[in-house]
Amino acid sequence: MAPGNFTRVTEFILTGVSDRPELQIPLFFVFLVIYGLTVAGNLSIITLTSVDSRLQTPMYFFLRHLAIINLGNSTVIAPKMLINFLVKKKTIFYYECAIQLGVFLVFIVAEVFMLAVMAYDRYVAICNPLLYMVVVSRQVCLLLVSLTYLYSFFIALLASSSIFSMSYCSCNVINHYFCDTVPLLALSCSDTYFPETVVFISAATDLVFSMIIVLVSYFNIVLSILRIHSSEGRKKAFSTCASHMMAVTVFYGTMLFMYVQPPTNHSMDTDKMASVFYTVVIPMLNPMIYSLRNKDVKAALWRFLTNSRCSFKLM
């Protein structure tokens, strides 16, 4: 397209989760409840792992950062999505869209690697329990978390800048409920080879590398558990990683569903549903998974509520 034959896009229109008018209000209340539970659950995990002295271990340090990531990931998407259920014209400004994509990528890449870091933590705890506090020291924890955030920021900056370096012409309707990579690439009227390559290579590398860490860690964990002679010992060892295994299965299952579909079965509607799962539903589920199956977290919550009640009575 020759220069001057198109008007530069200043805003995009989001189609939303559904274009059916009768579903907008019911969906608003459904996602409002989900987002409310997400905020309450993740803030509870962050608070408990920060103030309770018995939860000052590497496992809960990583869990706190997973909760921060889940809260951030959901907050980047959910408020705008909720507003769009209530308005007729679902617009988002060009630079607002770029910021939303960039921040979303920071959190989603950070979640991929935080789950891998947590799998490594469980591997050391079960396979080398005597060296656990030495191998996963406070300095190592801070290093792993810092590298996770720095790498996710770098990937987000690289991917989002390459996508928004493209030209967007007259068509500005994004077939999604937020600014995601695939629908933005589909809208461009310039050559998409470079940004597509950046997005594909970074997504594939991140997913494969993190999955290798998770699979190798759990392969060794299973072998170690099988070597334990007592059934009570095996049950105790398994219980320390059961919550994380469940969270990993749900998250990576959704990712694989999105990226390993045959091209003939691939559609934007399917992508939307999968995206709802990992941007809104999983951040709500993770606090439930880690608290309902974890005696330490439930005990810490009870202590926190008891202390709060006593403090309130003394006022």
Side-chain angles (χ1 to χ4, degrees), residues 228-236:
I228 298 172
H229 298 295
S230 68
S231 59
E232 188 63 30
R234 284 196 296 269
K235 184 179 178 182
K236 185 178 179 181

Side-chain angles (χ1 to χ4, degrees), residues 37-47 66-68 70-71 283-284 287:
L37 291 172
T38 300
V39 172
N42 284 290
L43 282 178
S44 297
I45 294 289
I46 294 166
T47 303
L66 180 65
I68 293 169
N70 283 158
L71 182 60
M284 176 195 70

Side-chain angles (χ1 to χ4, degrees), residues 82-262:
L82 290 170
I83 291 169
N84 285 343
F85 283 128
L86 303 177
V87 297
K88 288 186 178 180
K89 194 176 181 183
K90 302 171 174 61
T91 57
I92 183 168
F93 292 115
Y94 180 88
Y95 290 108
E96 184 185 358
C97 184
I99 292 169
Q100 186 186 55
L101 175 64
V103 178
F104 162 72
L105 290 175
V106 168
F107 286 121
I108 200 69
V109 174
E111 183 166 5
V112 167
F113 283 98
M114 191 58 65
L115 288 171
V117 167
M118 291 173 77
Y120 171 73
D121 170 71
R122 292 299 82 208
Y123 157 73
V124 178
I126 293 172
C127 299
N128 297 289
L130 298 178
L131 297 174
Y132 178 58
M133 295 308 295
V134 177
V135 176
V136 193
S137 63
R138 181 164 180 79
Q139 289 78 13
V140 171
C141 290
L142 290 170
L143 178 64
L144 290 172
V145 168
S146 299
L147 288 175
T148 297
Y149 287 131
L150 286 171
Y151 176 77
S152 60
F153 180 78
F154 168 74
I155 291 296
L157 186 63
L158 178 65
S160 58
S161 60
S162 64
I163 287 171
F164 279 89
S165 66
M166 302 184 300
S167 298
Y168 294 94
C169 309
S170 55
C171 183
N172 66 337
V173 179
I174 300 175
N175 186 17
H176 218 304
Y177 61 92
F178 74 102
C179 294
D180 201 3
T181 54
V182 175
L184 281 167
L185 287 168
L187 280 186
S188 176
C189 57
S190 59
D191 183 22
T192 60
Y193 176 76
F194 176 72
E196 278 182 347
T197 303
V198 169
V199 169
F200 175 78
I201 290 175
S202 59
T205 303
D206 295 346
L207 204 56
V208 170
F209 184 66
S210 62
M211 282 188 69
I212 288 172
I213 295 172
V214 170
L215 291 173
V216 170
S217 296
Y218 274 104
F219 177 76
N220 285 287
I221 286 170
V222 170
L223 289 180
S224 293
I225 290 174
L226 291 175
R227 291 194 196 104
I228 298 172
H229 298 295
S230 68
S231 59
E232 188 63 30
R234 284 196 296 269
K235 184 179 178 182
K236 185 178 179 181
F238 180 76
S239 67
T240 63
C241 59
S243 298
H244 183 256
M245 285 178 68
M246 192 180 299
V248 163
T249 302
V250 172
F251 182 80
Y252 283 106
T254 307
M255 292 287 109
L256 290 173
F257 174 78
M258 278 195 70
Y259 293 109
V260 186
Q261 292 180 82

